[in-house]
Amino acid sequence: MPVYQATVSAPVNIACIKYWGKRDTKLILPTNSSLSVTLDQDHLRSTTTSRADASFKQDQLWLNGKVDEIKEGGRLATCISEMKRLRREFEEKNPNEPKVSRVLVPAIMHAHLLQISSFHVHISSVNNFPTAAGLASSAAGFAALVSSLAALYNLPATPSELSLISRQGSGSACRSLFGGFVAWQMGEKADGSDSYAVEVAPREHWPDIHALICVVSDTKKGTSSTSGMQRTVETSPLLQHRIKHVVPERMKAISKAILEKDFDTFARITMQDSNQFHAVALDTDPPIFYMNDVSRSIIALITEYNRASVESGGKIKAAYTYDAGPNAVIYAPKENIKEIVELIYSYFPQTEPFKDPFGLFGAAGPKGKVVDGFNAAVAKPFEAGAVKGLIHTRVGDGPRKLGAEEALLNAEGLPTVLA
Ligand SMILES: Nc1ncnc2c1ncn2[C@@H]1O[C@H](COP(=O)(O)OP(=O)(O)OP(=O)(O)O)[C@@H](O)[C@H]1O
Ligand SMILES: C[C@@](O)(CCOP(=O)(O)OP(=O)(O)O)CC(=O)O
């Protein structure tokens, strides 16, 4: 019997123009377009194996080795049933050419192959970073889920077409179907068919964009993105101004900045948009606070770092951005990352050695120092542990198909990794 199985990894993305607000909560249609940078899967990724088999009794998913219930009508169930629908349509259009990866005995396999949309699936997924800790695991996770099913079903779908489905798992997940710089066009139609992701530029266009993630200690966030943004839609007058008058202009301006590799403009818009997203969170009734004192101190440090550069005739060197939690993501050209790590170290002592994937520091590691002209009084130093860790990564590629040796399901269709 052939094994119908595929394994794919998918990246995290962090938005520069934030998605915040839905006009349709079931289809996950946003109130504004958004734009993100895809981060490198060499560092942060979700890996997912999907298998279809006539012997499976039900659809099942294991996340990091633990059963994750597929609730009827829920987001996982929607994504899986939408992918089965695409497979069914593909089978109907190709009655004689099932095109499933090389079959051994084509003559007797056809009838069998054509039915794989009716088989139940087993799915095993692993994140190589903390799940549900504000590091966009849902974005990478749903992108990997949809991509692995597309590979299993051998669908000829484009990344934009697949993004229509991952969007229904988690809005931000639609942007993880592409590498590089990605826009989610909000669309206008009620059925959501024009609300999908497109590539603004591939990573190769501007590979110099690096990211430093400052993982800020925090207990689990109080208000999820899903419920927080709905409260904002219902109560914030500022959101109406943002979606009508601010985001459309910013989408155009930041896309142009990316195409021109204009870091100064890219950074200014990214910081302004993070600030406005947190302003609409504060404008929500009751108000929502995602940043904490550590987050605000990192803003002060990056602001001062940029001021010192600009006032001595230089350019903006870094941009901060925050999602629905206290973790900072700092975007910067690669040449500035060393200074930025030193800056963070001087205010936030680290207990673990800096993982230095790009070999910036040698064996000694960062010591903690600020650049000339930096006003050290803009923030006070924190105790060790306020920033739990730093992850240095960069702009990355889109979902990757992996070989059978990376599969996360064993011969019986059960997860190879157990929690
Ligand atoms: N690899 C995965 N495969 C399938 N679903 C996943 C995967 N990883 C995460 N998820 C889903 O996403 C949920 C976590 O999403 P949540 O929004 O709470 O956290 P996050 O995405 O890590 O943080 P944030 O959205 O604030 O950046 C998990 O409970 C699970 O339902
Ligand atoms: C602040 C954000 O990270 C919000 C992301 O929201 P989600 O995509 O997690 O929300 P749901 O669609 O309800 O799953 C901004 C962004 O990624 O654009």
Side-chain angles (χ1 to χ4, degrees):
M1 281 285 284
V3 173
Y4 303 117
Q5 177 167 299
T7 302
V8 171
S9 68
V12 160
N13 74 77
I14 299 292
C16 298
I17 305 292
K18 304 293 185 191
Y19 148 54
W20 195 253
K22 295 182 183 69
R23 61 180 199 279
D24 183 318
T25 52
K26 177 72 180 102
L27 286 173
I28 310 198
L29 301 177
T31 49
N32 63 263
S33 295
S34 55
L35 185 143
S36 57
V37 177
T38 295
L39 301 184
D40 196 336
Q41 285 162 84
D42 287 351
H43 309 124
L44 301 175
R45 65 182 167 275
S46 296
T47 305
T48 302
T49 299
S50 295
R51 183 187 304 183
D53 195 284
S55 71
F56 293 160
K57 300 279 178 289
Q58 56 175 342
D59 292 338
Q60 268 201 289
L61 186 139
W62 292 265
L63 176 52
N64 299 321
K66 251 178 74 180
V67 172
D68 202 13
E69 198 195 334
I70 303 174
K71 294 196 189 82
E72 213 185 306
R75 292 169 169 208
L76 282 170
T78 303
C79 288
I80 294 168
S81 71
E82 281 292 285
M83 293 306 293
K84 286 184 180 173
R85 177 181 62 78
L86 289 188
R87 172 66 197 178
R88 244 185 345 266
E89 289 172 6
F90 178 70
E91 289 167 352
E92 280 159 15
K93 280 193 200 129
N94 299 276
N96 302 315
E97 286 183 71
K99 287 197 189 132
V100 174
S101 50
R102 310 225 183 304
V103 291
L104 305 174
V105 202
I108 56 166
M109 284 300 162
H110 278 193
H112 192 57
L113 285 168
L114 287 169
Q115 290 166 6
I116 70 168
S117 65
S118 63
F119 296 170
H120 289 299
V121 289
H122 279 191
I123 299 167
S124 174
S125 186
V126 167
N127 299 329
N128 76 337
F129 60 95
T131 300
L135 293 176
S137 69
S138 56
F142 280 103
L145 173 79
V146 165
S147 302
S148 73
L149 287 167
L152 161 70
Y153 291 153
N154 208 29
L155 298 176
T158 64
S160 288
E161 285 164 344
L162 295 179
S163 79
L164 289 163
I165 296 176
S166 64
R167 187 199 77 218
Q168 296 175 61
S170 179
S172 52
C174 77
R175 299 185 308 240
S176 279
L177 265 300
F178 287 97
F181 303 82
V182 187
W184 173 10
Q185 297 176 340
M186 63 178 287
E188 290 172 352
K189 295 186 183 164
D191 69 356
S193 56
D194 58 352
S195 186
Y196 51 78
V198 295
E199 181 189 87
V200 174
R203 83 192 291 197
E204 295 75 24
H205 167 72
W206 205 8
D208 193 39
I209 295 296
H210 279 228
L212 186 72
I213 304 171
C214 307
V215 181
V216 175
S217 347
D218 193 48
T219 46
K220 212 175 145 31
K221 65 186 168 199
T223 311
S224 73
S225 304
T226 306
S227 66
M229 70 173 78
Q230 251 358 75
R231 227 158 77 200
T232 304
V233 169
E234 285 154 19
T235 62
S236 165
L238 180 56
L239 182 76
Q240 297 308 316
H241 173 70
R242 165 173 170 75
I243 64 184
K244 288 192 195 98
H245 303 294
V246 181
V247 171
E249 289 308 310
R250 282 189 185 158
M251 285 296 291
K252 281 187 218 150
I254 200 166
S255 301
K256 182 167 176 279
I258 290 165
L259 293 175
E260 293 172 355
K261 298 182 219 170
D262 170 2
F263 185 76
D264 217 87
T265 306
F266 172 85
R268 281 181 206 279
I269 297 175
T270 296
M271 292 188 280
Q272 284 168 350
D273 206 73
S274 174
N275 294 341
Q276 191 176 71
F277 154 49
H278 291 277
V280 300
L282 185 63
D283 193 45
T284 301
D285 186 17
I288 309 170
F289 305 89
Y290 286 121
M291 294 192 292
N292 63 17
D293 283 352
V294 174
S295 319
R296 284 185 286 271
S297 294
I298 295 173
I299 292 183
L301 296 179
I302 296 301
T303 304
E304 174 59 13
Y305 176 59
N306 284 331
R307 186 208 57 78
S309 171
V310 170
E311 286 188 9
S312 61
K315 295 189 151 195
I316 288 198
K317 290 172 123 179
Y320 57 78
T321 187
Y322 295 80
D323 280 348
N327 298 335
V329 176
I330 301 169
Y331 286 124
K334 183 183 180 196
E335 63 172 357
N336 301 337
I337 296 287
K338 196 169 174 187
E339 282 178 357
I340 298 166
V341 173
E342 292 284 15
L343 174 60
I344 300 294
Y345 259 67
S346 61
Y347 286 83
F348 299 101
Q350 296 294 299
T351 47
E352 300 291 321
F354 178 60
K355 284 202 194 78
D356 191 4
F358 298 91
L360 300 181
F361 291 96
K367 302 259 174 308
K369 63 171 191 253
V370 298
V371 293
D372 290 344
F374 188 95
N375 174 9
V378 295
K380 65 172 180 52
F382 280 71
E383 304 274 307
V387 170
K388 287 201 284 205
L390 297 175
I391 302 169
H392 179 187
T393 182
R394 62 178 167 192
V395 57
D397 55 351
R400 298 176 186 167
K401 270 193 205 175
L402 305 178
E405 65 288 355
E406 315 242 22
L408 299 170
L409 290 168
N410 63 21
E412 288 74 46
L414 296 171
T416 51
V417 188
L418 283 172

